[in-house]
Amino acid sequence: MIEKFRDGKAEHSETSLAELLGFQQQTIRAAIKPLLEIGFLEEVGSSFKIPMLYRDGLRITQGKAFETGGTEDDE
C-alpha cells in the first residue's frame, strides 16, 4: 500500500485515500489502520498527512491530494 503513495501529495482526505488505494470510502478507515499504527499516516483534524520522514524517499510533495472547496493552500 505504501508504494501507491509514490510521487503523490502529502495530505489526503478519506476520499482521496479511498481512490488512491482502491477501497470504498466506507471501508477506508479499516484499510488504513495499519498505516496509522506504523506511523506512515498521521491523522490531523479531518485529513491524513504523511510525515516528512517518508516524503523524500517516495518523492511525495507537500500539498493536498484533494479539493477543499476554496483556494488550495499548500502547507
Side-chain angles (χ1 to χ4, degrees):
M1 278 199 310
I2 291 172
E3 190 62 35
K4 292 183 179 183
F5 289 89
R6 184 177 296 280
D7 297 318
K9 294 290 188 175
E11 187 173 353
H12 291 269
S13 64
E14 286 184 5
T15 303
S16 68
L17 286 171
E19 290 173 10
L20 178 70
L21 299 173
F23 289 93
Q24 293 182 352
Q25 192 166 348
Q26 303 91 303
T27 61
I28 195 61
R29 285 248 176 210
I32 64 169
K33 185 176 180 183
L35 298 176
L36 291 164
E37 288 174 349
I38 65 169
F40 182 76
L41 284 176
E42 297 175 336
E43 191 168 6
V44 180
S46 62
S47 64
F48 299 87
K49 292 186 180 182
I50 299 166
M52 295 295 289
L53 173 67
Y54 303 105
R55 294 182 189 182
D56 282 344
L58 292 169
R59 295 188 305 269
I60 294 170
T61 57
Q62 193 167 316
K64 295 179 180 173
F66 58 96
E67 296 287 323
T68 57
T71 57
E72 185 170 326
D73 289 337
D74 287 345
E75 297 175 332

